[in-house]
Every structure is written in structure tokens, then in C-alpha cells.
Amino acid sequence: MQRDACFVCGQPLIYNDQTVEQTCVFCGEKEMNAITCPNGHYLCNRCHGLDALGVIRETTLKSSETVPEILAEFLMQHPTVAMHGPEHHALVPAVLVAVTANLLGLEEKEALVKEAIKRGSRVPGGHCGYFGACGAGVGVGIAVSVLTGATPLKREEWSWANRATAMALEKMADTGGPRCCKRCTMLALAAGREAIARFLQVELPAAADWKCRYFSRNRQCLGRQCPFWGDK
């Protein structure tokens, strides 16, 4: 995407003579700026200066979204979230915890989301190939662990967290490599929905079929072999 294009819709930005009040699509902050998107999208100066983890934290904490794919796609559009990168390892558990907390109206949402991000950010890049466990898949286990209060000493919760990771990794292994952080994120969220329904009896709403808009940026794209390939 061009640097002078909107990060959401890709349309060329308009450089006006006067400033106008605009609302940040990520945090809701209002500020005056002369640069506008023809479709009304705006990224405030604060959010523009955040790193990927900061964007994930601020957005998931403030969002009321209950559909995992919608919130994840919104986050992946931010310019700090790379095509591939370990930020996806935090994005998955943050999204799953946030939408579950939103759906249930959990008062402890902030603490749970921050814990999910903290744990997910500890999973290094390349974990999928070098450790045999994609970080996005591990993120599903992290989400279930955070939501159920699992620890190494608990019985059912320990099992649920590990099974949740296994469910995600199986979906990814069935699809095959090489890695794609967007594909693995969406597969992880699908597994997360199944795991949360199974272990927490919470039915997260599903989005319509998600189609990838990032494949042109991925030199290792599986093309038509990917279930999310955008040209299907």
C-alpha cells in the first residue's frame, strides 16, 4: 500500500487547505487534521505512534466487538502490524479474550486482555517452524488459560488450555506450510471459537467467510490451496 494511501481502504489521501475534526477509527479520539480519507477513515497521532502491541492493547480494550474475525481484521489493517511477525502471537489471545469478555460483560476485561497480551508477546517469531507450535495456535491455549484461570497445578483448566492449542495446531497442520501469519491467525480464531464453545460453553458469533486481502504481500502464499485466498 502506498504511504499516501488510507491504511483501511487504500484510497489516496486528500490534503486539504484547512483542518477538520476527525475521529480515530481505533481509539475514538477526536482531533483536528487537514489530511482526510475520502471514505472517512482516520488514524490519530497517538495511535499512529504506537507499536503493534500498543495498538493491539488499546484497540481490544476499547472495542465492543464480539466477532473475532472482525476485530482481528481491523487490527491487521494497522500499518504497524506486519505481514508476518510475532505480534500475531499476542493478537490472537487478545482478540479471543476481548470478544469473550464483551459478550459476557466481564468487569475484569482489562486485566484479562493485558495478561493475554503479556503471555502472547513472549512467544518468539519463527516458533511455528523452529519449535513445532505456531505462536497463533499457542495463543488459543493462552486465551483459554486466561479465561479459565488455568495454572500448571489445575486439572480440568490445564487440560482445556492444552487441548485448545492442539485444536488450533491441528487445523494449521492440515492446511500445510509454509507459514502465513494471516492464514494462521484466522485458523487459530476458528479453533478458538470451537474451544471456547467446548470448554466455556460460550458461543462466539462467526463472521461471514473471510477472504484474504494480503496475499499479494506474501511471497510464500499458497494461492488457491489456501482456504482464505482472496481470488477464490
Side-chain angles (χ1 to χ4, degrees), residues 55-176:
V55 169
I56 293 169
R57 181 186 67 250
E58 295 300 313
T59 304
T60 52
L61 287 177
K62 294 180 179 180
S63 174
S64 60
E65 182 60 63
T66 59
V67 181
E69 291 85 355
I70 292 178
L71 183 52
E73 170 65 19
F74 185 65
L75 287 166
M76 292 191 299
Q77 291 175 13
H78 194 278
T80 63
V81 178
M83 175 65 216
H84 305 296
E87 59 265 38
H88 296 82
H89 306 167
L91 186 153
V92 167
V95 165
L96 289 173
V97 169
V99 297
T100 303
N102 290 340
L103 190 65
L104 298 179
L106 299 181
E107 294 182 358
E108 62 269 34
K109 173 187 174 180
E110 181 175 352
L112 295 175
V113 169
K114 288 182 177 179
E115 181 63 24
I117 294 173
K118 181 172 69 175
R119 296 185 193 181
S121 65
R122 293 173 179 169
V123 182
H127 209 264
C128 52
Y130 293 124
F131 292 83
C134 170
V138 175
V140 178
I142 290 172
V144 171
S145 173
V146 169
L147 288 168
T148 63
T151 74
L153 300 181
K154 290 191 175 180
R155 184 174 179 83
E156 287 187 333
E157 295 87 346
W158 183 95
S159 178
W160 294 341
N162 281 274
R163 286 190 184 278
T165 299
M167 291 166 67
L169 295 181
E170 186 171 14
K171 281 185 181 292
M172 296 172 190
D174 287 345
T175 303

Side-chain angles (χ1 to χ4, degrees), residues 211-224:
K211 296 300 180 185
C212 179
R213 54 184 270 177
Y214 306 97
F215 59 90
S216 62
R217 294 165 52 192
N218 183 8
R219 289 179 295 176
Q220 295 83 36
C221 178
L222 295 177
R224 292 186 179 277

Side-chain angles (χ1 to χ4, degrees), residues 175 183 187 209-212 222-230 232:
T175 303
R183 181 187 74 233
L187 290 171
D209 290 343
W210 181 80
K211 296 300 180 185
C212 179
L222 295 177
R224 292 186 179 277
Q225 295 179 347
C226 174
F228 306 117
W229 196 50
K232 283 188 175 180

